[in-house]
Amino acid sequence: EAKANYAKAKEQGITGSLLDQDDDNWFTMRLANIKPGEMIEVHMRYQEKIPYDDGEFRFVFPLVTPDAYTNETASSSSSSSGGGGQQQKLNDVTMNVTVKAGVAINPPRSLVHDVTVTKTSSSSSSKEGSNDDGVYVVQLNKKDKYPNRDFVVAYSVVDRGVAPMVYLQRRSSSHDGTFLVVLN
């Protein structure tokens, strides 16, 4: 149904978008009927299991697309990223990542980009002004606005010794759910 709605909007000259899953971890966002020079915003939300390695969690969001996955060739508005035959269009990118760890964490950092990290508090915070709920916003700074390498954010849990943690998630529409037990 989404593909039909997108095709209809595209045919009628209406601005539209379609997100397709091409592979297990590969998505394509299609945009139609954007006027030349018009600025658009694309908001995407999803949940992902963040890999844990060498004492920290690392979130990687690909911003560079290998040629094998694109339908277009480089044009005069493109430039080579200089690595492995990858190319990117010189469109500005803004990126805000909200880290909701659920436990106290050390401030996140980016391994390859210039970012601003801001503590925030959630309504479930146990102490006013504390950040025991592990909520931070990581924002890509304007000088790093070109998508010439993947966006990587890393963070570690505040060391409080060995402590078991249980995470629960239940679907609101059923009694089904999942849980995760972690010994940290």
Side-chain angles (χ1 to χ4, degrees):
E1 182 180 342
K3 286 183 181 183
N5 288 341
Y6 173 76
K8 184 176 177 181
K10 183 177 178 181
E11 187 176 296
Q12 293 176 353
I14 300 170
T15 301
S17 66
L18 177 67
L19 182 66
D20 281 322
Q21 183 172 359
D22 301 327
D23 205 350
D24 287 341
N25 198 19
W26 197 264
F27 296 85
T28 300
M29 173 71 75
R30 297 183 192 334
L31 304 168
N33 300 316
I34 300 168
K35 297 173 187 157
E38 181 179 10
M39 181 178 286
I40 62 163
E41 287 187 27
V42 176
H43 296 264
M44 189 171 69
R45 288 179 177 237
Y46 69 97
Q47 291 183 357
E48 175 181 356
K49 180 180 175 185
I50 305 295
Y52 182 79
D53 187 35
D54 200 22
E56 66 183 7
F57 293 91
R58 288 192 181 174
F59 167 75
V60 178
F61 188 85
L63 292 176
V64 179
T65 307
D67 289 338
Y69 290 97
T70 61
N71 294 331
E72 301 176 12
T73 58
S75 68
S76 59
S77 65
S78 305
S79 94
S80 174
S81 66
Q86 295 176 335
Q87 297 175 338
Q88 98 272 344
K89 294 181 182 179
L90 294 180
N91 293 328
D92 293 354
V93 171
T94 58
M95 178 81 64
N96 292 307
V97 175
T98 302
V99 179
K100 295 181 180 179
V103 296
I105 62 172
N106 294 308
R109 60 192 176 87
S110 176
L111 304 178
V112 295
H113 287 91
D114 184 33
V115 297
T116 300
V117 177
T118 308
K119 284 185 181 185
T120 63
S121 60
S122 72
S123 58
S124 63
S125 204
S126 58
K127 299 176 190 171
E128 193 171 317
S130 77
N131 199 37
D132 288 344
D133 55 1
V135 180
Y136 286 87
V137 175
V138 181
Q139 181 177 17
L140 182 63
N141 288 333
K142 288 185 180 187
K143 75 177 191 178
D144 251 353
K145 63 185 178 180
Y146 297 115
N148 60 356
R149 57 196 179 279
D150 292 346
F151 187 71
V152 181
V153 174
Y155 67 91
S156 60
V157 175
V158 171
D159 187 9
R160 294 187 176 166
V162 176
M165 294 181 284
V166 178
Y167 299 96
L168 305 169
Q169 183 176 20
R170 174 176 268 165
R171 293 187 184 134
S172 60
S173 61
S174 73
H175 296 289
D176 296 336
T178 58
F179 71 94
L180 173 67
V181 176
V182 178
L183 293 177
N184 183 14

